[in-house]
Amino acid sequence: MSMRGRRPELPAGPAAEEEPDRARPEEPEAKGTGPDEDEPDRFDDDEDGFDYQSPYGGLDELLGRLSAEDRTLFIHAPNGNINAGSVHGGQHVKNDDHASGPGGRRVEAREGPISADEILGAGLGFAEPDWFPTALGKLDTRVLFLTGAPGTGRRTAALNLLHRHSGSSMALRAVDSDMNLATWRPTHPEARGYLVDGLLPKYPLRPGMVGNLRRLLDEADARMVIVLPDDPELVRSLERDLHVTPVPCRPAPPRAVFEARLEAAVPDPARRGRLLGNLEPGLLEELLVPELMPAEVAELVATVVASGEDGTDPASLRNRLSFLAEGEVPDLIGKLVDDADGLAFLLATCVFEGLDHRIVREESERLLELAEGRLSSVQPPSDDRAGDQGPQQPRSNPHFVFRRSLEDLLRSVRAQCAPKETRTTSGYTYAVEPVRFTRHRQAETVLRYVWREYGQLAGVLTDWMDAVKNEGELTRPVGRVMGMAAGWGGGRRALRHIGTLAKSDRNSSRIIAAYAMGVAAKDPVLASEVKHRLLRWSGARSQQLRSTVAYTCGTEFGLARPDLAMRLLRGLYHGIDDEQEPTLRWAVRSALGDLFSSGNEMLVFRQLAEWASGGGADADLALRNFPYLLHNAAWFIGELLHDGETAKQIVDLIRRALDDDDTFDTTCRYLIQWCGMAAWNEQQKDAVEALLTALARTMRHGVLRLFVVIDRHEETPELAGRDIARETLSAWRAGGPTPWRSDGDRTPTGGHRDF
């Protein structure tokens, strides 16, 4: 802590007012990642660099060496067709990429201008559903929420809504799903409509944001359609929190979609009649089932049109339709399960469909070789023969990749794959299809039975769970099982397996032990032993045991006993040596964040404020960890609005954190986030302006740096309190007194703040 204990000096003058080094610190990582452990897999967004050398790089040099009479014109035209001479008669050339065969589709704009082809294509053969006029009317409010399941034609409907409501304008733009609509602005004056196709939960919408969106779109004379999944809980939250009613997107009946698409593809009624007359009677009724999606109906139309007026037999028509293929795949795989050559050729054809048969055959043979027997259901007989036994029989191959299908495995254990769910990490959003038992609590019942009845299996399960990756979605369920297992075993050794994990060198194992202690402490009999062990471990020399105690304070154990958890964390911070510091500091910070964000804000803050008023390890603990609590802006905003003792302490701790070089970046980053959020909420704006006004009354080094950052911040165009920062900086540059006196003067919002 480089600046603690002395009053930081102000810069020498305006010339020294360069923007401070704002290298963003690491975001607080999810529990399950620590400084001494391999972190979870991360995506590297940087592309591999390479220098591209054109095969024609020496062309200019070559032409320069040729004499004028010997020069030849070189034409480099990849995928081009060139006629070099006289041409007579009609010509037809078709260049097909194998990737754009049947079922291929144009690229849909996800960010930026939406092409005219996509807009017109969405309207071609569009069957207007019953709810469409209602949605057009709601679009008068500038913002429309559209919900529906994948495949129901949500994007097509949204494009038609925007296109029609804007007077058939082609100036439509797409906004990517990871955009924070709180900071979004319509930057293209010519755009009349914006489409947000799938809004990720990373940036939740708030009432003030929606009102601001409507205002911005009204000023730009534009509309916006926000497409969301068909999630009942999401719809309820929109209605409850935003006071908006999303329009459910349900496609028109398949028959109506078929007729509209066919009419668009074949405008001539006579030809449409001949095409339909050539179909087997009743075939359309058989195929146009109610659950057929619009995209599948479009494929059926394309197949009927491609069959021509000569017609096609029903079997051939069915064989071409992709939505009928999924049910046939298991039978196809089953027929080839004992045919390694056939499986390899099937996979090669799937990947290289449309290429020459020689290429497909070569690639299938290469796949068969690389598989090293994993495409064979049986292994050859072993060369070892015992005694006079007869010929050895082929053995089952445990490495056979088609040994068991997922569906087969799910049925065998009475489980199923649930529908896709969207989940969010600190950096990105992803979709999962969770596996769940059909019977409630079957998982716990099975594990309890095998743990009690098969003693040796418990050791195998412990070793297996101890080696999981250091990722929160893995360590939490493992910790839960290990905690429940303490109650299954009983006796004086009930927590023995957890103690083994607590002493591990792997950070993930210690986190698992912490979760396990939290679960075990729910048992009234085990709770006393859990507390006894934690008190013993908190005084141990082992950094592994001490960090396990810290992590446990952030689990259910600490959340149920916040006073005890704070005492344990305070004691852990005393006597940290250089070797223990990174691991233990990280664990303490994680636990404090969990306690603070779980309903114990006042308790945690008062303890930190009390420790910060002293010195030594207590002050170091408070001032190092306080900036990370600013992530929970709502609690601090509420306290600042109350204008009481806590507000004064908040201002004091923020000022001290800004004055310290080690904590300035984190503190500044969260305060900038506060200013961005407060721009659209009057109460938050009042609190943020009051905070900045209070900070401006004592212009020290850290406050000056913060105001410079606010003044020059460009990532968020509108920040609450920017006028306060600029006015204060102007007064400081001029050498005059701060405009915010220390005698309880009026704040910009009309309230009085004296903290």
Side-chain angles (χ1 to χ4, degrees), residues 496-527:
R496 184 176 182 180
H497 61 290
I498 301 178
T500 301
L501 298 177
K503 293 183 253 184
S504 172
D505 291 331
R506 302 182 74 249
N507 198 50
S508 60
S509 298
R510 299 194 295 274
I511 292 173
I512 290 172
Y515 283 124
M517 294 291 265
V519 173
K522 292 181 178 181
D523 187 323
V525 177
L526 293 174

Side-chain angles (χ1 to χ4, degrees), residues 386-421:
D388 297 332
Q389 294 180 354
Q392 294 282 326
Q393 296 297 321
R395 299 167 295 155
S396 177
N397 184 7
H399 304 295
F400 182 42
V401 294
F402 287 95
R403 187 172 69 255
R404 299 285 296 276
S405 69
L406 174 62
E407 188 63 32
D408 183 29
L409 291 171
L410 289 171
R411 284 198 303 266
S412 66
V413 299
R414 298 179 186 175
Q416 60 187 3
C417 266
K420 282 188 178 180
E421 299 176 2

Side-chain angles (χ1 to χ4, degrees), residues 27-28 112-113 134 170 197 221 242 279 329 341 380 384 420 508 534 544 553 575 579-580 657 684:
E27 292 282 353
T134 302
M170 307 298 289
D197 192 355
D221 190 24
L242 304 186
L279 296 177
V329 171
D341 292 327
D384 299 331
K420 282 188 178 180
S508 60
L534 291 176
Q544 290 87 352
C553 291
E579 181 180 354
Q580 293 176 328
Q684 292 181 8

Side-chain angles (χ1 to χ4, degrees), residues 602 605 626 630 632-655 670-671 674-675 678 683-695 697 747 749 751-755:
M602 184 62 73
F605 178 78
F626 168 73
L630 298 177
N632 190 341
W635 184 84
F636 287 102
I637 294 293
E639 291 299 308
L640 289 170
L641 286 173
H642 292 154
D643 194 10
E645 178 186 356
T646 308
K648 295 180 180 180
Q649 293 174 323
I650 291 172
V651 175
D652 177 63
L653 286 180
I654 288 177
R655 183 181 285 113
Y670 285 125
L671 292 181
W674 287 17
C675 294
Q683 282 195 326
Q684 292 181 8
K685 185 177 181 181
D686 186 12
V688 167
E689 289 185 342
L691 169 65
L692 297 180
T693 300
L695 292 174
R697 291 175 183 145
T747 67
T749 56
H752 284 75
R753 296 290 185 269
D754 190 18
F755 48 75

Side-chain angles (χ1 to χ4, degrees), residues 511-703:
I511 292 173
I512 290 172
Y515 283 124
M517 294 291 265
V519 173
K522 292 181 178 181
D523 187 323
V525 177
L526 293 174
S528 61
E529 184 180 355
V530 170
K531 287 191 284 188
H532 171 73
R533 287 182 179 263
L534 291 176
L535 289 171
R536 283 182 52 200
W537 293 351
S538 64
R541 296 181 58 86
S542 166
Q543 65 167 336
Q544 290 87 352
L545 290 176
R546 288 162 67 91
S547 64
T548 300
V549 175
Y551 283 130
T552 305
C553 291
T555 66
E556 295 177 352
F557 174 87
L559 302 185
R561 307 165 181 83
D563 292 294
L564 174 59
M566 292 298 291
R567 291 198 300 271
L568 287 171
L569 292 173
R570 182 184 185 184
L572 289 171
Y573 222 74
H574 288 262
I576 297 179
D577 57 34
D578 293 339
E579 181 180 354
Q580 293 176 328
E581 181 174 5
T583 300
L584 196 48
R585 286 191 193 278
W586 176 270
V588 170
R589 177 182 302 167
S590 174
L592 283 172
D594 289 336
L595 285 168
F596 186 79
S597 61
S598 301
N600 299 292
E601 294 92 347
M602 184 62 73
L603 170 67
V604 174
F605 178 78
R606 287 192 181 279
Q607 288 286 317
L608 292 184
E610 179 183 340
W611 298 341
S613 63
D618 286 347
D620 188 63
L621 166 62
L623 295 175
R624 276 184 178 270
N625 292 284
F626 168 73
Y628 294 94
L629 303 185
L630 298 177
H631 178 68
N632 190 341
W635 184 84
F636 287 102
I637 294 293
E639 291 299 308
L640 289 170
L641 286 173
H642 292 154
D643 194 10
E645 178 186 356
T646 308
K648 295 180 180 180
Q649 293 174 323
I650 291 172
V651 175
D652 177 63
L653 286 180
I654 288 177
R655 183 181 285 113
R656 293 177 66 177
L658 289 171
D659 283 341
D660 194 295
D661 285 344
D662 291 341
T663 56
F664 172 83
D665 285 336
T666 303
T667 308
C668 177
R669 172 158 48 91
Y670 285 125
L671 292 181
I672 292 292
Q673 291 180 9
W674 287 17
C675 294
M677 293 187 299
W680 319 115
N681 185 289
E682 287 301 324
Q683 282 195 326
Q684 292 181 8
K685 185 177 181 181
D686 186 12
V688 167
E689 289 185 342
L691 169 65
L692 297 180
T693 300
L695 292 174
R697 291 175 183 145
T698 307
M699 282 292 290
R700 298 203 303 220
H701 176 71
V703 175

Side-chain angles (χ1 to χ4, degrees), residues 311-542:
T312 182
D313 63 277
S316 177
L317 182 63
R318 289 190 181 92
N319 287 337
R320 298 183 196 178
L321 299 175
S322 64
F323 58 88
L324 298 178
E326 188 170 351
E328 300 173 353
V329 171
D331 291 337
L332 179 60
I333 297 294
K335 292 177 181 178
L336 299 174
V337 72
D338 294 323
D339 183 359
D341 292 327
L343 286 173
F345 193 78
L346 170 66
L347 297 173
T349 304
C350 291
V351 176
F352 301 105
E353 182 183 11
L355 297 187
D356 184 74
H357 68 89
R358 284 173 284 265
I359 295 178
V360 177
R361 183 63 180 265
E362 289 171 2
E363 291 301 320
S364 71
E365 292 174 352
R366 189 171 66 86
L367 172 61
L368 195 63
E369 182 179 353
L370 289 175
E372 296 180 339
R374 284 173 289 176
L375 291 178
S376 300
S377 60
V378 295
Q379 292 178 329
S382 173
D383 293 335
D384 299 331
R385 290 191 174 91
D388 297 332
Q389 294 180 354
Q392 294 282 326
Q393 296 297 321
R395 299 167 295 155
S396 177
N397 184 7
H399 304 295
F400 182 42
V401 294
F402 287 95
R403 187 172 69 255
R404 299 285 296 276
S405 69
L406 174 62
E407 188 63 32
D408 183 29
L409 291 171
L410 289 171
R411 284 198 303 266
S412 66
V413 299
R414 298 179 186 175
Q416 60 187 3
C417 266
K420 282 188 178 180
E421 299 176 2
T422 302
R423 298 180 183 176
T424 303
T425 67
S426 58
Y428 57 92
T429 303
Y430 59 99
V432 298
E433 295 181 68
V435 174
R436 293 192 173 96
F437 286 110
T438 54
R439 186 183 296 276
H440 294 305
R441 303 191 69 176
Q442 181 173 331
E444 179 181 346
T445 304
V446 170
L447 287 172
R448 181 173 63 247
Y449 177 80
V450 299
W451 191 279
R452 290 172 58 90
E453 300 295 329
Y454 304 95
Q456 293 183 342
L457 182 61
V460 174
L461 292 177
T462 301
D463 293 342
W464 170 56
M465 290 186 284
D466 180 29
V468 300
K469 291 182 179 180
N470 189 13
E471 299 177 5
E473 65 177 353
L474 300 179
T475 54
R476 286 188 183 92
V478 170
R480 176 176 173 273
V481 170
M482 299 297 269
M484 291 190 300
W488 300 338
R492 296 185 62 184
R493 297 183 177 182
L495 299 179
R496 184 176 182 180
H497 61 290
I498 301 178
T500 301
L501 298 177
K503 293 183 253 184
S504 172
D505 291 331
R506 302 182 74 249
N507 198 50
S508 60
S509 298
R510 299 194 295 274
I511 292 173
I512 290 172
Y515 283 124
M517 294 291 265
V519 173
K522 292 181 178 181
D523 187 323
V525 177
L526 293 174
S528 61
E529 184 180 355
V530 170
K531 287 191 284 188
H532 171 73
R533 287 182 179 263
L534 291 176
L535 289 171
R536 283 182 52 200
W537 293 351
S538 64
R541 296 181 58 86
S542 166

